[in-house]
Amino acid sequence: MRGMTRRALFAGSAAGTAAALLPAVPATAGPKTQADCASYRARYHFTVPDQWKNDPQRPIWVDGEYHYYYLYNPDYFTGGTTAGTAWRLATSTDLVRFTDRGIAVPKDTTPNGDVWSGSAVVDTDNTAGFGAGAVVVLATMEPVEGANTQAQYLYYSTDGGRTFTHHGTDPVLANPGVRDFRDPKVIRDEERGRWVMALAENNKIGFYHSSNLRSWTYVSGFVKDGIGVLECPDLFRIRAEDGTVRWVLGASANGKGSGLPNTYAYWTGAFDGTTFTPDASEPQWLDHGWDWYGAVTFEKRDADGRLDEGTRYAIGWLNNWDYANTTPTIDCDGFNGTDSIVREIALKRAPSGMYYFASRPVAALDSYVSRTLNLGDLEVDGTRVLDHRGTAYEVTCEITWDQLTGAGLQLRRSPDGVRHIDAGVYGDYAFLNRRPTVNPDASGRWQESKSSFDPSARRVRLRILVDRTSVEMFVDDGRYVHSSEVFPYLLDDRLALFTIGGRAVFRNTVIREFAV
């Protein structure tokens, strides 16, 4: 994060911040009631039970379930000297329904203060000396803010990752005298019998080796300018659909100043255990919306724990540091913190030879469908308002045309048709435009996200997840994804199809609702 310290972010009145930026509910909606307020919590996305959450921490597989840790501040509304984050835990077997397990890594138990992002690993071979199968967390702490004291500290668990104990008050990787030195991502290099850490160091991702998780040696670095401070790095190996094995280096980055996303940048390439060599100098982006930050990818395992080498899961924080305190859920539900849907990512090879990730919502979401509306093929020339009304659902379709300028859907449309979120294609790009509805961007600069589209195809497949404060659009089998926060009024529950400059057929149009 940039622009203010983490503790300063949490100090003061969070509710007051939101109230100052969000407009009042239209008079036609009537006064807010407890029931209205409660409904702003997402229906099928992960949300923090109370207070605040931000960065996801890479989930790990322990005893037949995923352990999902995330940064949690139990003092969000009071602020003051207790502000800052701990690690809270939720567990899940299918990554749709989660069970809250409370705080796992507490804050302020040492003079080093609160606990920031990092990663957890299962130390199967007892390399750290805490016992075979111990869960070890490496996380950043900053004892003195703004004084080049960001360093990496160790916590360990001997009860399956439910509760953690600090390993003293000294860092296992001390700060060499720089401002940005955080977010350790640790993986096991089985081929060479050692641990590897990727660390965010401003415009560089540093690589470190360790035999025991308790002492680390710098070995190389990957530098990228022009996309802001690199945060929350990611490093993993994956088998592409063509059978080729590639390594992937990722990071949360801010490319807005260059007309690029402010989400998860990634490079495919080769990693020899010490140095990462990218296939191309410029990154690709796993999401093109405004709100998919601090994202992590993690292993996909079946119910028996077997690893899928060709697929990973990914989850991102549905928020943005530019407007982190702005959400109707503060006043209505007493929390601030929603995640994207967990998605499955697979590495594919384009005709150009470039490897890229394709994303789709986690398959287990299908098990929670409570209602399905098959609307078939719908011909549209202009705007066609559908009968469906709802604030949380999925809509899929394939749009085909002969001659057209643009086409798409108006999501969360108001009764008078003035407010809506537009999703679709126009000319040579796909887009998600939240400008016509209430949204967190008070500046008005970050309203429409775009990604490449080839209009000569004369067809596009869309899968769109709509929830009470978010929209996620998957374009053409997930080649591009747009995830953004939106805050439509609760009475804005209509859905319409539209075309610009021609006629189109919305084929196999299906709406699904979920009960999670």
Side-chain angles (χ1 to χ4, degrees):
M1 61 172 294
R2 298 157 298 282
M4 65 173 69
T5 66
R6 295 179 187 239
R7 286 187 182 268
L9 173 72
F10 298 132
S13 172
T17 302
L21 294 178
L22 288 174
V25 176
T28 55
K32 286 185 178 180
T33 68
Q34 185 64 35
D36 290 334
C37 287
S39 67
Y40 273 99
R41 187 181 287 273
R43 291 289 299 271
Y44 60 96
H45 287 71
F46 179 85
T47 57
V48 65
D50 54 45
Q51 300 286 341
W52 163 278
K53 82 165 295 294
N54 56 302
D55 296 2
Q57 307 302 305
R58 181 187 60 201
I60 56 173
W61 180 262
V62 180
D63 297 332
E65 61 185 1
Y66 284 99
H67 281 45
Y68 171 44
Y69 303 96
Y70 57 90
L71 296 192
Y72 167 72
N73 179 24
D75 307 299
Y76 177 54
F77 289 104
T78 57
T81 58
T82 59
T85 51
W87 281 30
R88 190 159 179 160
L89 169 64
T91 58
S92 178
T93 57
D94 63 10
L95 299 171
V96 177
R97 178 176 291 166
F98 291 83
T99 300
D100 177 51
R101 303 296 184 183
I103 292 175
V105 183
K107 65 178 180 179
D108 299 323
T109 57
T110 77
N112 300 314
D114 59 329
V115 187
W116 297 6
S117 282
S119 55
V121 296
V122 179
D123 187 12
T124 304
D125 298 325
N126 191 27
T127 65
F130 303 116
V135 179
V136 177
V137 161
L138 276 294
T140 302
M141 301 173 78
E142 187 179 46
V144 182
E145 287 190 281
N148 296 344
T149 62
Q150 293 178 13
Q152 317 323 313
Y153 295 81
L154 188 150
Y155 287 77
Y156 66 95
S157 170
T158 58
D159 63 359
R162 294 296 181 92
T163 61
F164 287 80
T165 302
H166 66 80
H167 179 57
T169 59
D170 293 330
V172 294
L173 179 56
N175 191 303
V178 297
R179 176 180 176 181
D180 300 305
F181 196 71
R182 58 180 178 267
D183 307 340
K185 186 63 60 67
V186 177
I187 63 170
R188 182 67 180 170
D189 184 350
E190 295 290 358
E191 181 180 351
R192 300 166 185 88
R194 64 192 177 200
W195 299 96
V196 176
M197 176 194 294
L199 192 69
E201 304 175 30
N202 197 277
N203 66 337
K204 181 179 79 172
I205 297 175
F207 297 110
Y208 298 78
H209 289 166
S210 176
S211 62
N212 58 15
L213 295 168
R214 292 182 283 106
S215 59
W216 294 87
T217 302
Y218 176 79
V219 293
S220 72
F222 176 86
V223 175
K224 176 58 183 176
D225 293 309
I227 54 174
V229 175
L230 304 179
E231 297 188 293
C232 304
D234 199 10
L235 178 66
F236 58 91
R237 178 183 183 272
I238 190 169
R239 187 176 301 278
E241 285 194 344
D242 65 1
T244 303
V245 173
R246 306 303 294 161
W247 280 85
V248 178
L249 180 65
S252 284
N254 184 354
K256 288 190 299 187
S258 305
L260 298 170
N262 179 32
T263 59
Y264 179 106
Y266 71 92
W267 296 261
T268 61
F271 182 65
D272 62 6
T274 297
T275 303
F276 179 81
T277 304
D279 293 330
S281 60
E282 294 305 312
Q284 300 182 72
W285 299 83
L286 203 46
D287 199 287
H288 288 256
W290 300 117
D291 304 306
W292 204 72
Y293 200 73
V296 292
T297 70
F298 56 104
E299 294 175 342
K300 180 182 179 182
R301 294 186 178 272
D302 65 16
D304 296 323
R306 288 186 294 265
L307 176 67
D308 183 342
E309 294 185 348
T311 310
R312 283 179 76 84
Y313 290 122
I315 188 172
W317 179 42
L318 274 173
N319 208 337
N320 188 311
W321 285 116
D322 286 354
Y323 38 73
N325 281 316
T326 305
T327 172
T329 63
I330 290 177
D331 292 324
C332 295
D333 303 290
F335 81 92
N336 182 355
T338 301
D339 283 339
S340 73
I341 203 73
V342 173
R343 63 175 75 166
E344 299 178 11
I345 60 173
L347 197 62
K348 299 186 177 184
R349 190 172 187 175
S352 65
M354 176 184 70
Y355 286 96
Y356 69 90
F357 276 119
S359 303
R360 67 175 186 178
V362 60
L365 188 61
D366 294 343
S367 300
Y368 294 89
V369 175
S370 59
R371 182 187 181 206
T372 301
L373 300 175
N374 290 293
L375 303 182
D377 298 345
L378 303 174
E379 187 172 311
V380 180
D381 189 352
T383 301
R384 179 171 177 174
V385 181
L386 305 182
D387 291 335
H388 178 264
R389 295 175 63 174
T391 60
Y393 54 88
E394 172 200 82
V395 56
T396 58
C397 63
E398 181 178 49
I399 310 173
T400 62
W401 63 88
D402 292 325
Q403 185 173 357
L404 195 69
T405 302
L409 299 88
Q410 291 183 344
L411 311 163
R412 298 296 303 273
R413 177 183 162 109
S414 62
D416 61 6
V418 173
R419 295 181 303 276
H420 43 81
I421 303 115
D422 296 338
V425 295
Y426 185 90
D428 60 357
Y429 61 87
F431 70 91
L432 179 63
N433 187 355
R434 63 187 180 183
R435 187 183 305 277
T437 196
V438 184
N439 67 77
D441 177 29
S443 73
R445 293 177 295 172
W446 320 117
Q447 301 288 2
E448 183 179 59
S449 56
K450 299 179 180 180
S451 60
S452 299
F453 176 72
D454 180 7
S456 67
R458 296 182 180 178
R459 67 177 57 234
V460 64
R461 291 180 298 277
L462 299 179
R463 182 176 183 181
I464 305 173
L465 304 184
V466 178
D467 214 330
R468 285 170 170 166
T469 57
S470 65
V471 171
E472 295 163 276
M473 178 177 72
F474 296 75
V475 182
D476 283 336
D477 300 323
R479 174 64 178 90
Y480 298 102
V481 187
H482 297 242
S483 301
S484 288
E485 284 188 303
V486 290
F487 305 145
Y489 301 124
L490 297 174
L491 58 85
D492 294 352
D493 59 0
R494 276 65 167 180
L495 174 63
L497 313 178
F498 71 87
T499 63
I500 302 171
R503 183 187 67 86
V505 178
F506 289 67
R507 301 187 183 279
N508 301 316
T509 305
V510 177
I511 299 171
R512 302 197 301 176
E513 298 173 352
F514 306 100
V516 176

